[in-house]
Amino acid sequence: MQQYHELMRHIRDNGVRKDDRTGTGTLSVFGYQMRFNLANGFPLVTTKKCHMRSIIHELLWFLQGETNIAYLTENGVSIWDEWATDEGELGPVYGKQWRSWPGLNGEVIDQIAEVVEQIKTNPDSRRLIVSGWNPAVLPDTQYSPKENAAMGKQALPPCHTLFQFYVLEGKLSCQLYQRSGDVFLGVPFNIASYALLTMMVAQVCDLELGDFVHTLGDAHLYVNHLEQTDLQLSREPYPLPTMKINPAVKDIFGFKYEDFELCNYQAHPHIKAPVAI
Ligand SMILES: Nc1nc(=O)c2c([nH]1)NC[C@@H]1CN(c3ccc(C(=O)N[C@@H](CCC(=O)O)C(=O)O)cc3)CN21
Ligand SMILES: O=c1ccn([C@H]2C[C@H](O)[C@@H](COP(=O)(O)O)O2)c(=O)[nH]1
């Protein structure tokens, strides 16, 4: 995970102090790109232990089209708790936009089903895009995330805003545009999540693995994550683990938690950090 270390190092060295919505303060840069060849191993950060369990459940939850944290809670995943209403609602976040984007005349658009179908039938397409960014449901910034969710708006505007697939010589690549990246806490999750999604789509489309390209807009380290960042930067990365996926699954909506097995994950101890709300 040299690429991730270089990003942390880049922000530590070049980031400029910038205020933010949460009132925490950040070191920030604008515009950064990483590339992970998925054939070289599974890009999970090794210089702190990451909870792959949370990442897998969160991705399955997106793919089910869910926007209530009930499924996550049942599976012991608490990463979205701070933004949800007492009823567990987050408003029309990722799951809703991915699986049932409201179209014209009551039409419902399943962007995931459509993009998988396009990859299978029209792999040269330059339009293999899924967008979570729907200006009609963005939160009203004078209200809190929970208040917005209670009003039927998104609790938070999507951070992983838009992704595009690309097929070349039988290999599937994916590029994510992430408008805002919490580099210590969120970005390791985002890298692993999109790497896994790309592997799942490749499997159901009978394609080999290409690259995951991760493009960040506002890439920031919260100022209360700097000690943790320095500790992490002092550690030597281990070789990447691999991810085994049950090869029998051929439907993008047919994956279960038990279909994934992370192998040879050698990591330094977990590093705790407070999440900015
Ligand atoms: N400030 C902020 N950073 C984020 O990364 C983030 C948000 N807000 N809001 C929405 C989601 C929720 N995500 C989160 C939230 C918390 C953790 C977190 O606390 N991670 C810990 C514990 C992981 C676990 O419980 O499995 C970590 O050490 O990685 C990670 C991603 C990503 N997003
Ligand atoms: O998947 C995610 C979701 C969220 N984040 C981070 C990025 C920011 O630090 C906050 C969101 O705050 P905004 O003011 O809406 O940008 O959450 C992430 O890194 N990855």
Side-chain angles (χ1 to χ4, degrees):
M1 290 300 286
Q2 211 53 50
Q3 300 96 319
Y4 176 72
H5 269 233
E6 282 166 19
L7 166 63
M8 285 201 300
R9 168 62 51 211
H10 177 70
I11 299 177
R12 203 67 182 90
D13 292 347
N14 304 289
V16 174
R17 178 64 204 238
K18 181 171 183 269
D19 291 335
D20 75 288
R21 173 186 58 78
T22 70
T24 310
T26 65
L27 290 183
S28 166
V29 299
F30 187 55
Y32 193 91
Q33 189 171 79
M34 296 178 282
R35 183 178 290 267
F36 303 92
N37 180 342
L38 298 176
N40 291 345
F42 187 72
L44 187 62
V45 167
T46 60
T47 42
K48 72 170 186 195
K49 192 164 198 305
C50 293
H51 295 149
M52 196 60 214
R53 213 175 54 77
S54 302
I55 298 169
I56 295 172
H57 279 306
E58 187 199 40
L59 179 59
L60 293 176
W61 173 71
F62 291 150
L63 285 170
Q64 287 163 13
E66 286 289 337
T67 59
N68 188 293
I69 61 168
Y71 167 87
L72 297 177
T73 306
E74 281 160 25
N75 288 285
V77 176
S78 54
I79 58 172
W80 279 99
D81 289 6
E82 281 89 350
W83 295 272
T85 65
D86 292 344
E87 293 73 42
E89 263 309 317
L90 289 164
V93 290
Y94 303 102
K96 171 83 179 169
Q97 305 308 324
W98 285 14
R99 299 297 315 283
S100 44
W101 178 293
L104 294 176
N105 307 320
E107 186 195 5
V108 171
I109 300 165
D110 186 338
Q111 295 191 79
I112 300 290
E114 289 192 11
V115 84
V116 167
E117 181 61 20
Q118 283 298 310
I119 293 168
K120 287 181 181 170
T121 57
N122 189 11
D124 288 332
S125 172
R126 296 175 291 213
R127 305 170 182 179
L128 303 170
I129 283 181
V130 174
S131 175
W133 191 260
N134 181 347
V137 293
L138 292 178
D140 184 335
T141 47
Q142 55 178 309
Y143 298 106
S144 70
K146 286 183 193 202
E147 286 167 339
N148 272 289
M151 295 184 317
K153 298 273 191 173
Q154 293 174 325
L156 285 175
C159 282
H160 31 116
T161 310
L162 175 144
F163 52 103
Q164 179 177 10
F165 292 101
Y166 175 91
V167 182
L168 183 70
E169 297 173 342
K171 290 185 189 156
L172 182 73
S173 293
C174 174
Q175 176 166 201
L176 167 68
Y177 184 84
Q178 181 167 351
R179 65 166 179 83
S180 174
D182 172 347
V183 169
F184 187 81
L185 276 184
V187 170
F189 273 49
N190 297 128
I191 297 168
S193 179
Y194 276 85
L196 192 59
L197 177 64
T198 308
M199 293 176 75
M200 292 156 72
V201 173
Q203 175 164 313
V204 303
C205 296
D206 277 322
L207 292 164
E208 299 296 319
L209 296 176
D211 291 342
F212 167 54
V213 181
H214 195 170
T215 301
L216 290 156
D218 186 324
H220 47 269
L221 283 169
Y222 283 103
V223 293
N224 57 356
H225 294 170
L226 295 180
E227 269 179 36
Q228 289 90 330
T229 300
D230 290 343
L231 170 61
Q232 200 174 347
L233 280 170
S234 74
R235 296 173 170 179
E236 271 307 308
Y238 290 113
L240 289 184
T242 53
M243 175 64 75
K244 277 197 198 146
I245 304 183
N246 175 0
V249 183
K250 291 294 176 194
D251 170 3
I252 191 65
F253 306 120
F255 290 95
K256 299 183 306 296
Y257 182 76
E258 296 71 33
D259 290 321
F260 304 96
E261 192 191 349
L262 183 67
C263 305
N264 302 316
Y265 182 45
Q266 197 187 353
H268 292 269
H270 182 250
I271 307 174
K272 267 206 167 114
V275 67
I277 299 168

